[in-house]
PDB file of all heavy atoms in Angstrom:
ATOM      1  N   VAL A 170      23.707  -3.689   5.869  1.00 59.00           N
ATOM      2  CA  VAL A 170      22.315  -3.944   5.538  1.00 59.00           C
ATOM      3  C   VAL A 170      21.752  -2.719   4.801  1.00 59.00           C
ATOM      4  O   VAL A 170      21.762  -1.629   5.369  1.00 59.00           O
ATOM      5  CB  VAL A 170      21.502  -4.268   6.747  1.00 59.00           C
ATOM      6  CG1 VAL A 170      20.026  -4.546   6.342  1.00 59.00           C
ATOM      7  CG2 VAL A 170      22.045  -5.497   7.453  1.00 59.00           C
ATOM      8  N   THR A 171      21.279  -2.884   3.663  1.00 59.00           N
ATOM      9  CA  THR A 171      20.761  -1.707   2.842  1.00 59.00           C
ATOM     10  C   THR A 171      19.411  -2.068   2.218  1.00 59.00           C
ATOM     11  O   THR A 171      19.106  -3.248   1.996  1.00 59.00           O
ATOM     12  CB  THR A 171      21.749  -1.326   1.788  1.00 59.00           C
ATOM     13  OG1 THR A 171      21.277  -0.083   1.197  1.00 59.00           O
ATOM     14  CG2 THR A 171      21.948  -2.378   0.717  1.00 59.00           C
ATOM     15  N   LEU A 172      18.675  -1.090   1.899  1.00 64.00           N
ATOM     16  CA  LEU A 172      17.394  -1.303   1.181  1.00 64.00           C
ATOM     17  C   LEU A 172      17.682  -1.419  -0.323  1.00 64.00           C
ATOM     18  O   LEU A 172      18.448  -0.689  -0.863  1.00 64.00           O
ATOM     19  CB  LEU A 172      16.451  -0.147   1.504  1.00 64.00           C
ATOM     20  CG  LEU A 172      16.096   0.131   2.961  1.00 64.00           C
ATOM     21  CD1 LEU A 172      15.195   1.346   3.025  1.00 64.00           C
ATOM     22  CD2 LEU A 172      15.434  -1.071   3.575  1.00 64.00           C
ATOM     23  N   ARG A 174      16.608  -0.435  -3.086  1.00 79.00           N
ATOM     24  CA  ARG A 174      15.928   0.519  -3.939  1.00 79.00           C
ATOM     25  C   ARG A 174      16.956   1.325  -4.677  1.00 79.00           C
ATOM     26  O   ARG A 174      17.922   1.817  -4.070  1.00 79.00           O
ATOM     27  CB  ARG A 174      15.027   1.436  -3.097  1.00 79.00           C
ATOM     28  CG  ARG A 174      13.838   0.668  -2.401  1.00 79.00           C
ATOM     29  CD  ARG A 174      13.096   1.573  -1.437  1.00 79.00           C
ATOM     30  NE  ARG A 174      12.031   0.857  -0.832  1.00 79.00           N
ATOM     31  CZ  ARG A 174      11.395   1.279   0.228  1.00 79.00           C
ATOM     32  NH1 ARG A 174      11.724   2.453   0.761  1.00 79.00           N
ATOM     33  NH2 ARG A 174      10.405   0.592   0.751  1.00 79.00           N
ATOM     34  N   SER A 237       6.937   7.513   8.435  1.00 94.00           N
ATOM     35  CA  SER A 237       6.361   6.218   8.098  1.00 94.00           C
ATOM     36  C   SER A 237       7.152   5.194   8.923  1.00 94.00           C
ATOM     37  O   SER A 237       8.342   4.900   8.577  1.00 94.00           O
ATOM     38  CB  SER A 237       6.510   5.904   6.614  1.00 94.00           C
ATOM     39  OG  SER A 237       6.022   4.632   6.325  1.00 94.00           O
ATOM     40  N   LEU A 238       6.499   4.668   9.904  1.00 92.00           N
ATOM     41  CA  LEU A 238       7.140   3.730  10.852  1.00 92.00           C
ATOM     42  C   LEU A 238       6.591   2.335  10.694  1.00 92.00           C
ATOM     43  O   LEU A 238       5.712   1.928  11.380  1.00 92.00           O
ATOM     44  CB  LEU A 238       6.973   4.199  12.310  1.00 92.00           C
ATOM     45  CG  LEU A 238       7.402   5.646  12.591  1.00 92.00           C
ATOM     46  CD1 LEU A 238       7.099   6.091  13.999  1.00 92.00           C
ATOM     47  CD2 LEU A 238       8.943   5.755  12.334  1.00 92.00           C
ATOM     48  N   GLY A 239       7.103   1.721   9.630  1.00 87.00           N
ATOM     49  CA  GLY A 239       6.686   0.313   9.353  1.00 87.00           C
ATOM     50  C   GLY A 239       5.369   0.165   8.692  1.00 87.00           C
ATOM     51  O   GLY A 239       4.955  -1.005   8.385  1.00 87.00           O
ATOM     52  N   ASP A 240       4.631   1.256   8.354  1.00 83.00           N
ATOM     53  CA  ASP A 240       3.317   1.097   7.741  1.00 83.00           C
ATOM     54  C   ASP A 240       3.411   1.043   6.248  1.00 83.00           C
ATOM     55  O   ASP A 240       2.540   0.458   5.575  1.00 83.00           O
ATOM     56  CB  ASP A 240       2.417   2.221   8.168  1.00 83.00           C
ATOM     57  CG  ASP A 240       3.004   3.592   7.926  1.00 83.00           C
ATOM     58  OD1 ASP A 240       4.268   3.736   8.120  1.00 83.00           O
ATOM     59  OD2 ASP A 240       2.264   4.590   7.682  1.00 83.00           O
ATOM     60  N   GLY A 241       4.452   1.636   5.658  1.00 71.00           N
ATOM     61  CA  GLY A 241       4.581   1.533   4.188  1.00 71.00           C
ATOM     62  C   GLY A 241       5.169   0.171   3.781  1.00 71.00           C
ATOM     63  O   GLY A 241       4.787  -0.472   2.819  1.00 71.00           O
ATOM     64  N   GLN A 242       6.244  -0.236   4.535  1.00 78.00           N
ATOM     65  CA  GLN A 242       6.878  -1.519   4.290  1.00 78.00           C
ATOM     66  C   GLN A 242       7.242  -2.079   5.633  1.00 78.00           C
ATOM     67  O   GLN A 242       7.914  -1.383   6.409  1.00 78.00           O
ATOM     68  CB  GLN A 242       8.099  -1.390   3.412  1.00 78.00           C
ATOM     69  CG  GLN A 242       8.822  -2.733   3.128  1.00 78.00           C
ATOM     70  CD  GLN A 242       9.983  -2.500   2.203  1.00 78.00           C
ATOM     71  OE1 GLN A 242      10.126  -1.512   1.482  1.00 78.00           O
ATOM     72  NE2 GLN A 242      10.916  -3.424   2.231  1.00 78.00           N
ATOM     73  N   PRO A 243       6.785  -3.299   5.994  1.00 81.00           N
ATOM     74  CA  PRO A 243       7.146  -3.817   7.351  1.00 81.00           C
ATOM     75  C   PRO A 243       8.644  -3.767   7.685  1.00 81.00           C
ATOM     76  O   PRO A 243       9.480  -4.047   6.801  1.00 81.00           O
ATOM     77  CB  PRO A 243       6.589  -5.261   7.285  1.00 81.00           C
ATOM     78  CG  PRO A 243       5.573  -5.193   6.210  1.00 81.00           C
ATOM     79  CD  PRO A 243       6.068  -4.186   5.189  1.00 81.00           C
ATOM     80  N   ASP A 244       8.910  -3.371   8.915  1.00 88.00           N
ATOM     81  CA  ASP A 244      10.293  -3.353   9.401  1.00 88.00           C
ATOM     82  C   ASP A 244      11.163  -2.326   8.710  1.00 88.00           C
ATOM     83  O   ASP A 244      12.408  -2.368   8.785  1.00 88.00           O
ATOM     84  CB  ASP A 244      10.967  -4.732   9.259  1.00 88.00           C
ATOM     85  CG  ASP A 244      10.212  -5.829   9.974  1.00 88.00           C
ATOM     86  OD1 ASP A 244       9.716  -5.573  11.070  1.00 88.00           O
ATOM     87  OD2 ASP A 244      10.064  -6.921   9.373  1.00 88.00           O
ATOM     88  N   VAL A 245      10.572  -1.325   8.061  1.00 90.00           N
ATOM     89  CA  VAL A 245      11.279  -0.219   7.440  1.00 90.00           C
ATOM     90  C   VAL A 245      10.746   1.130   8.041  1.00 90.00           C
ATOM     91  O   VAL A 245       9.548   1.316   7.984  1.00 90.00           O
ATOM     92  CB  VAL A 245      11.214  -0.166   5.919  1.00 90.00           C
ATOM     93  CG1 VAL A 245      11.866   1.027   5.376  1.00 90.00           C
ATOM     94  CG2 VAL A 245      11.867  -1.490   5.339  1.00 90.00           C
ATOM     95  N   ASN A 246      11.612   1.891   8.561  1.00 93.00           N
ATOM     96  CA  ASN A 246      11.228   3.244   9.089  1.00 93.00           C
ATOM     97  C   ASN A 246      11.740   4.333   8.154  1.00 93.00           C
ATOM     98  O   ASN A 246      12.836   4.200   7.556  1.00 93.00           O
ATOM     99  CB  ASN A 246      11.789   3.432  10.460  1.00 93.00           C
ATOM    100  CG  ASN A 246      11.078   2.632  11.499  1.00 93.00           C
ATOM    101  OD1 ASN A 246       9.941   2.149  11.291  1.00 93.00           O
ATOM    102  ND2 ASN A 246      11.702   2.419  12.650  1.00 93.00           N
ATOM    103  N   ALA A 247      11.017   5.420   8.021  1.00 95.00           N
ATOM    104  CA  ALA A 247      11.433   6.474   7.135  1.00 95.00           C
ATOM    105  C   ALA A 247      10.871   7.866   7.566  1.00 95.00           C
ATOM    106  O   ALA A 247       9.798   7.873   8.301  1.00 95.00           O
ATOM    107  CB  ALA A 247      11.029   6.187   5.707  1.00 95.00           C
ATOM    108  N   SER A 266      15.662   6.550   5.006  1.00 92.00           N
ATOM    109  CA  SER A 266      14.968   5.309   5.391  1.00 92.00           C
ATOM    110  C   SER A 266      16.036   4.258   5.735  1.00 92.00           C
ATOM    111  O   SER A 266      17.246   4.367   5.373  1.00 92.00           O
ATOM    112  CB  SER A 266      14.090   4.878   4.263  1.00 92.00           C
ATOM    113  OG  SER A 266      14.870   4.597   3.063  1.00 92.00           O
ATOM    114  N   GLY A 267      15.569   3.188   6.387  1.00 88.00           N
ATOM    115  CA  GLY A 267      16.430   2.074   6.717  1.00 88.00           C
ATOM    116  C   GLY A 267      15.722   1.030   7.514  1.00 88.00           C
ATOM    117  O   GLY A 267      14.554   1.270   7.933  1.00 88.00           O
ATOM    118  N   PRO A 268      16.295  -0.106   7.689  1.00 89.00           N
ATOM    119  CA  PRO A 268      15.665  -1.153   8.506  1.00 89.00           C
ATOM    120  C   PRO A 268      15.391  -0.624   9.883  1.00 89.00           C
ATOM    121  O   PRO A 268      16.197   0.071  10.444  1.00 89.00           O
ATOM    122  CB  PRO A 268      16.736  -2.271   8.491  1.00 89.00           C
ATOM    123  CG  PRO A 268      17.596  -2.006   7.297  1.00 89.00           C
ATOM    124  CD  PRO A 268      17.622  -0.531   7.139  1.00 89.00           C
ATOM    125  N   ALA A 269      14.265  -1.043  10.433  1.00 90.00           N
ATOM    126  CA  ALA A 269      13.802  -0.522  11.719  1.00 90.00           C
ATOM    127  C   ALA A 269      14.857  -0.786  12.843  1.00 90.00           C
ATOM    128  O   ALA A 269      14.993   0.037  13.740  1.00 90.00           O
ATOM    129  CB  ALA A 269      12.469  -1.113  12.135  1.00 90.00           C
ATOM    130  N   PHE A 270      15.557  -1.904  12.783  1.00 89.00           N
ATOM    131  CA  PHE A 270      16.528  -2.219  13.823  1.00 89.00           C
ATOM    132  C   PHE A 270      17.772  -1.338  13.732  1.00 89.00           C
ATOM    133  O   PHE A 270      18.520  -1.155  14.727  1.00 89.00           O
ATOM    134  CB  PHE A 270      16.940  -3.689  13.805  1.00 89.00           C
ATOM    135  CG  PHE A 270      17.793  -4.054  12.612  1.00 89.00           C
ATOM    136  CD1 PHE A 270      19.149  -4.027  12.712  1.00 89.00           C
ATOM    137  CD2 PHE A 270      17.194  -4.485  11.452  1.00 89.00           C
ATOM    138  CE1 PHE A 270      19.958  -4.317  11.604  1.00 89.00           C
ATOM    139  CE2 PHE A 270      18.005  -4.853  10.354  1.00 89.00           C
ATOM    140  CZ  PHE A 270      19.344  -4.799  10.432  1.00 89.00           C
ATOM    141  N   MET A 271      17.978  -0.686  12.606  1.00 88.00           N
ATOM    142  CA  MET A 271      19.118   0.200  12.405  1.00 88.00           C
ATOM    143  C   MET A 271      18.694   1.655  12.541  1.00 88.00           C
ATOM    144  O   MET A 271      19.533   2.481  12.888  1.00 88.00           O
ATOM    145  CB  MET A 271      19.837  -0.041  11.047  1.00 88.00           C
ATOM    146  CG  MET A 271      20.517  -1.328  10.866  1.00 88.00           C
ATOM    147  SD  MET A 271      21.385  -1.424   9.282  1.00 88.00           S
ATOM    148  CE  MET A 271      22.561  -0.090   9.496  1.00 88.00           C
ATOM    149  N   VAL A 272      17.468   1.941  12.231  1.00 90.00           N
ATOM    150  CA  VAL A 272      16.942   3.289  12.198  1.00 90.00           C
ATOM    151  C   VAL A 272      15.680   3.337  13.056  1.00 90.00           C
ATOM    152  O   VAL A 272      14.550   3.337  12.587  1.00 90.00           O
ATOM    153  CB  VAL A 272      16.614   3.746  10.742  1.00 90.00           C
ATOM    154  CG1 VAL A 272      16.319   5.294  10.739  1.00 90.00           C
ATOM    155  CG2 VAL A 272      17.727   3.458   9.817  1.00 90.00           C
ATOM    156  N   PRO A 273      15.869   3.285  14.403  1.00 92.00           N
ATOM    157  CA  PRO A 273      14.719   3.297  15.335  1.00 92.00           C
ATOM    158  C   PRO A 273      13.960   4.627  15.293  1.00 92.00           C
ATOM    159  O   PRO A 273      14.473   5.658  14.826  1.00 92.00           O
ATOM    160  CB  PRO A 273      15.310   3.017  16.675  1.00 92.00           C
ATOM    161  CG  PRO A 273      16.751   3.501  16.542  1.00 92.00           C
ATOM    162  CD  PRO A 273      17.167   3.276  15.127  1.00 92.00           C
ATOM    163  N   LEU A 277      15.028   8.703  14.285  1.00 93.00           N
ATOM    164  CA  LEU A 277      14.412   9.432  13.146  1.00 93.00           C
ATOM    165  C   LEU A 277      13.767  10.735  13.668  1.00 93.00           C
ATOM    166  O   LEU A 277      13.948  11.751  13.021  1.00 93.00           O
ATOM    167  CB  LEU A 277      13.289   8.574  12.523  1.00 93.00           C
ATOM    168  CG  LEU A 277      13.735   7.425  11.598  1.00 93.00           C
ATOM    169  CD1 LEU A 277      12.523   6.575  11.220  1.00 93.00           C
ATOM    170  CD2 LEU A 277      14.366   7.976  10.321  1.00 93.00           C
TER     171      LEU A 277
END
Side-chain angles (χ1 to χ4, degrees):
V170 179
T171 185
L172 300 179
R174 293 173 181 167
S237 174
L238 304 174
D240 52 327
Q242 181 177 339
D244 302 320
V245 173
N246 289 341
S266 61
F270 71 90
M271 291 185 63
V272 191
L277 282 172

